[in-house]
Amino acid sequence: MEQEAYAGPLSGRHLVLGLSGGIACYKAAEFCRALVKAGASVQVVMTPSACQFITPVTLQALSGRTVFTDAWDAREGNSMAHINLSRQADAIVVAPASADFMARLLHGRADDLLSLMCLARPLGRVPLLLAPAMNREMYAHPATQRNLEQLRADGARVLGVGAGDQACGETGDGRMLEPQELLEEVVAFFTPKVLAGQRVVVTAGPTYEAIDPVRGITNLSSGKMGFALAQAAWRAGAQVTLVAGPVSLPTPRGVQRVDVQSAQAMWQATEPLAAQASVFIAAAAVADWRPAQVAGQKIKKTADGQAPALEFVQNTDILASIARSDRARSGQLYCVGFAAESQDLLNQAREKRVRKGVPLLVGNLGPQTFGRDDNALIVVDAAGSEELPRASKAALATRLIERIALELKKAAS
Ligand code: CTP
């Protein structure tokens, strides 16, 4: 169980990673490594052109399996590598997919092992994911655009392209997505879309309450749990907005991010978003108080050694206020709260759930979990509680999103 909780998001998946010829082959090496790190087993298949850019030895070392490059490879007992390899795969991912390779796919050509495999794969069982990579003029060419459209119609999933500087020195669309972006797309592809059609708003991180232009009050929240929840919700098919306090985490793929500093700014950003949402998850560690006055200039020490007397006012409780709204009360908005406690977690979490007026509250013991990549949670609802044992925050976020989806389903039936 513990083992499973730590397993990567692609654990148990077997992928064929196909490389066709293009300079983006150098990124495919990193992508292969990312797939393996995420728990997948990876069989690499390369076209002869791909072997001009990067050697099979590199991919063999990274995948831990000998690479196939030739339809006539004698290693397969029945001499049918194209059948055997494609039957074992949960998906074939071609990264990079060159313009030429896609043109050949489109016509059902089978003149190298990779295109032969794509053609021979059982259509209903082995999905094909393509990560195009080419010069911007090649990408924009009507032939390529036509081919992409037809490949989609034939059932392939096209994994976007990036924009920006290209190896040829030009700038534009056509760059292969970065390895981490590709990984995120593949993980999302395999994630059941239990939040399809839902609009999710997540608050995350600490807030910063200014005292003067150079000082303020904040806390040790890293934002990792909230960011992981936003990511898991996007993977599950939701449209996600993340309202983030001051943290230096990268924005999860597919997620819209609004950066704020203070609790007041977080409230002002979150309230209108929640008014359009169907799920609100309050994972932020919002400051309960802010200084009553923010000094316009830096507060200086005084000769008499007196410390400044700071007065505080209470911030709006974002979660409690939104949970009291008509939309939340009528069941159009499902609210989830968090509680970081230092003791007596279950009772505190139960009490906080009622006080905040939310159907679901997630408790954890802080502050030792702040900043860590793992955590252990307790989920409390009106009926009881469920413990989620120690696991990565990403794995816990996936579990929580599944639980929220289940609650939404129950409420709708
Ligand atoms: N929360 C919020 N706005 C605030 C304070 C808290 O939205 N101004 C949310 C947090 O995001 C979290 C939940 O309320 O989901 C609980 O936060 P916590 O700080 O643990 O609770 P408090 O209300 O501050 O309770 P206490 O200080 O008594 O522990």
Side-chain angles (χ1 to χ4, degrees):
M1 177 67 212
E2 202 79 332
Q3 192 62 34
E4 193 182 75
Y6 273 101
L10 291 178
S11 143
R13 301 279 180 198
H14 179 65
L15 302 173
V16 165
L17 171 61
L19 278 69
S20 59
I23 185 58
C25 279
Y26 83 92
K27 291 195 210 172
E30 185 74 44
F31 177 44
C32 177
R33 191 162 184 269
L35 290 171
V36 171
K37 249 181 118 175
S41 56
V42 180
Q43 174 61 58
V44 177
V45 178
M46 296 170 70
T47 65
S49 310
C51 297
Q52 296 289 325
F53 288 91
I54 184 169
T55 72
V57 177
T58 303
L59 276 305
Q60 176 175 343
L62 294 170
S63 64
R65 288 170 180 247
T66 48
V67 171
F68 281 78
T69 57
D70 183 3
W72 311 111
D73 198 309
R75 277 173 294 174
E76 291 293 298
N78 61 359
S79 199
M80 294 188 192
H82 63 296
I83 302 288
N84 306 344
L85 300 184
S86 65
R87 298 300 182 273
Q88 292 155 5
D90 290 314
I92 300 174
V93 188
V94 182
S98 69
D100 174 66
F101 182 76
M102 293 193 297
R104 285 190 289 124
L105 268 190
L106 178 80
H107 287 284
R109 299 272 299 265
D111 34 16
D112 62 72
L113 176 59
L114 187 57
S115 52
L116 179 58
M117 271 180 55
C118 292
L119 188 66
R121 79 187 204 281
L123 264 185
R125 192 163 60 75
V126 183
L128 175 64
L129 284 68
L130 301 171
M134 66 202 72
N135 162 268
R136 67 188 173 107
E137 299 291 2
M138 291 168 75
Y139 182 71
H141 196 286
T144 303
Q145 289 302 317
R146 214 166 38 232
N147 292 349
L148 281 168
E149 202 170 309
Q150 188 57 50
L151 284 166
R152 282 194 190 98
D154 290 349
R157 166 72 71 97
V158 179
L159 305 179
V161 286
D165 293 342
Q166 301 201 308
C168 52
E170 297 179 5
T171 305
D173 288 346
R175 233 170 55 165
M176 189 169 83
L177 294 180
E178 296 304 318
Q180 282 305 319
E181 294 174 319
L182 285 178
L183 174 68
E184 193 50 44
E185 289 284 343
V186 173
V187 172
F189 179 78
F190 283 116
T191 306
K193 297 292 172 265
V194 289
L195 287 188
Q198 304 290 340
R199 278 182 170 207
V200 176
V201 175
V202 183
T203 62
T207 62
Y208 177 86
E209 311 300 321
I211 294 172
D212 68 17
V214 298
R215 301 185 185 91
I217 296 167
T218 186
N219 60 64
L220 290 174
S221 167
S222 64
K224 285 180 181 170
M225 193 68 223
F227 275 59
L229 280 161
Q231 183 173 46
W234 175 74
R235 287 175 181 172
Q239 190 185 319
V240 185
T241 309
L242 176 62
V243 182
V247 292
S248 53
L249 295 173
T251 308
R253 184 158 181 78
V255 169
Q256 208 186 330
R257 174 174 180 170
V258 180
D259 282 316
V260 297
Q261 293 276 317
S262 66
Q264 271 180 305
M266 188 172 273
W267 163 243
Q268 279 158 12
T270 306
E271 199 217 0
L273 288 168
Q276 306 289 322
S278 50
V279 178
F280 173 50
I281 307 174
V286 186
D288 290 321
W289 309 280
R290 65 178 180 275
Q293 306 287 338
V294 182
Q297 302 299 332
K298 184 180 174 190
I299 302 171
K300 294 288 190 186
K301 287 198 289 286
T302 53
D304 60 7
Q306 277 287 314
L310 292 178
E311 274 186 41
F312 292 91
V313 290
Q314 193 160 313
N315 283 319
T316 306
D317 189 320
I318 302 171
L319 176 62
S321 308
I322 288 174
R324 272 196 302 270
S325 68
D326 290 344
R327 292 187 69 250
R329 282 164 180 264
S330 65
Q332 295 173 77
L333 175 65
Y334 188 81
C335 293
V336 181
F338 268 75
E341 306 294 345
S342 57
Q343 52 153 346
D344 195 14
L345 181 58
L346 181 57
N347 284 327
Q348 300 264 9
R350 279 187 181 136
E351 182 273 324
K352 197 163 282 186
R353 189 191 75 82
V354 175
R355 176 156 56 84
K356 299 272 179 178
V358 293
L360 204 69
L361 192 118
V362 185
N364 64 131
L365 279 178
Q368 60 267 39
T369 59
F370 280 4
R372 287 182 60 139
D373 286 328
D374 61 351
N375 204 350
L377 303 175
I378 190 156
V379 184
V380 180
D381 67 7
S385 63
E386 179 196 2
E387 279 185 35
L388 302 186
R390 187 155 292 281
S392 70
K393 286 181 178 173
L396 290 169
T398 304
R399 298 274 303 272
L400 283 176
I401 290 299
E402 286 165 1
R403 172 71 191 268
I404 291 168
L406 207 66
E407 298 297 332
L408 293 178
K409 206 170 151 192
K410 270 198 245 162
S413 62

